[in-house]
């Protein structure tokens, strides 16, 4: 099914969490926001490594 942007927006609700990651060569930055765009946690910086990815996973689970 071809979903338009408006249809995707309408699917969000108070239980929706959006996680955005700014990817760089050595260090990445992640943010988590709710359906209204309010930050749910302080941004998290993690390295481009397995340990950094595991740190990101733990951060997401803590949300």
């Amino acid at each position: 099914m071809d979903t338009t942007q408006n249809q995707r927006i309408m699917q969000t609700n108070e239980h929706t969490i959006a996680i955005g990651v700014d990817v760089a060569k050595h260090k990445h930055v992640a943010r988590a926001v709710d359906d209204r765009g309010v930050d749910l946690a302080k941004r998290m910086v993690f390295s481009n490594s397995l340990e950094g990815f595991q740190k990101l996973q733990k951060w997401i689970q803590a949300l």
Side-chain angles (χ1 to χ4, degrees):
M1 179 178 177
D2 187 20
T3 307
T4 66
Q5 182 176 355
N6 287 339
Q7 289 171 325
R8 287 191 300 269
I9 291 170
M10 294 303 293
Q11 292 174 350
T12 62
N13 60 40
E14 65 275 1
H15 303 291
T16 301
I17 297 175
I19 298 175
V21 178
D22 182 11
V23 178
K25 188 172 186 177
H26 301 287
K27 299 234 181 215
H28 311 307
V29 180
R31 289 185 57 210
V33 296
D34 66 8
D35 62 311
R36 298 176 298 155
V38 176
D39 284 330
L40 297 175
K42 192 174 182 179
R43 70 184 180 103
M44 203 257 314
V45 179
F46 61 102
S47 63
N48 186 9
S49 65
L50 177 59
E51 293 81 16
F53 179 70
Q54 291 169 339
K55 180 181 174 183
L56 174 65
Q57 286 181 314
K58 288 179 185 177
W59 181 78
I60 291 170
Q61 290 172 352
L63 294 174

